Amino acid sequence: QSALTQPASVSGSPGQSITISCTGTSSDVGGYNYVSWYQQHPGKAPKLMIYEVSNRPSGVPDRFSGSKSGNTASLTISGLQAEDEADYYCSSYTSSSTPLYVFGTGTKVTVL
Amino acid sequence: EVQLVESGGGLVKPGGSLRLSCAASGFTFSSYSMNWVRQAPGKGLEWVSSISSSSSYIYYADSVKGRFTISRDNAKNSLYLQMNSLRAEDTAVYYCAREVRTMIVDWGQGTLVTVSS
């Protein structure tokens, strides 16, 4: 099973909105509402930003939102801030036992 | 506060072995499935292995099946990954991660494994 497909990079100016796509198949993204998004700053561990497609954990700013249509999930960052510059990964539970989870290829977000 | 602290990484020669450990605290360890996820230098995240709360269900990525063994000791709040027959492509930061309702929620800080002669 291949990694989920994300754009390599997305950029925006402070205050703008950006959207990162995550495309999979009916065996992962399209088959379950178990899509998560992680933020990773250089040298740091990933941090959960969105779970079950569109839910935010406590402490995550509401400018982060998630959605899904068919086999593609999306993460939108509204009101982009300098501290949002990081790598972002999507992930989905899969119908297979191997892999149990599949991650996206990763997107580098640059705040101009 | 959930804390996951990995240890045991280091430099090992191809074909060698290494055992990673993860000490968990801040939650009822015995109630949760746990995972290992790795990240090669400059690359993306790759799920490696998962173990259910009572060790009844164990899963591996095809890339490590037959070489790696995941285990846990609920009495010690600890997760382990025994890695044998290591290859250069196993070089990565290995993260211990807690699973909640079929999603990976909490991550440790990671431990670096380097396979090189």
Side-chain angles (χ1 to χ4, degrees), chain A residues 34 36 38 40 43-48 51-52 89 91 93 97-105, chain B residues 35 37 39 43-47 50 59-62 65 95 99 101-105 107-109:
Chain A
Y34 295 128
S36 302
Y38 303 92
Q40 187 179 35
K44 300 295 186 181
K47 174 188 174 184
L48 180 67
Y51 67 94
E52 292 173 348
Y89 294 90
S91 176
Y93 181 76
S97 60
T98 178
L100 194 59
Y101 291 95
V102 61
F103 288 92
T105 50
Chain B
N35 291 259
V37 178
Q39 185 171 35
K43 303 296 184 182
L45 300 168
E46 180 189 16
W47 173 81
S50 175
Y59 306 99
Y60 297 100
D62 286 342
K65 198 174 295 183
Y95 294 102
E99 178 182 319
R101 293 201 317 267
T102 60
M103 58 190 169
I104 292 173
V105 174
W107 302 68
Q109 86 289 350

Side-chain angles (χ1 to χ4, degrees), chain A residues 7-108:
Chain A
S9 63
V10 173
S11 62
S13 299
Q16 286 187 330
S17 294
I18 61 168
T19 296
I20 304 168
S21 61
C22 168
T23 301
T25 69
S26 58
S27 296
D28 38 66
V29 174
Y32 303 93
N33 285 327
Y34 295 128
V35 176
S36 302
W37 288 91
Y38 303 92
Q39 176 191 67
Q40 187 179 35
H41 287 109
K44 300 295 186 181
K47 174 188 174 184
L48 180 67
M49 304 301 284
I50 295 287
Y51 67 94
E52 292 173 348
V53 176
S54 59
N55 296 297
R56 277 188 313 276
S58 173
V60 172
D62 60 6
R63 64 177 184 275
F64 290 87
S65 62
S67 62
K68 190 185 85 166
S69 178
N71 295 337
T72 298
S74 299
L75 173 71
T76 298
I77 309 175
S78 305
L80 199 61
Q81 298 187 6
E83 59 261 36
D84 299 333
E85 184 163 298
D87 292 326
Y88 291 82
Y89 294 90
C90 61
S91 176
S92 175
Y93 181 76
T94 79
S95 62
S96 169
S97 60
T98 178
L100 194 59
Y101 291 95
V102 61
F103 288 92
T105 50
T107 299
K108 169 66 177 176

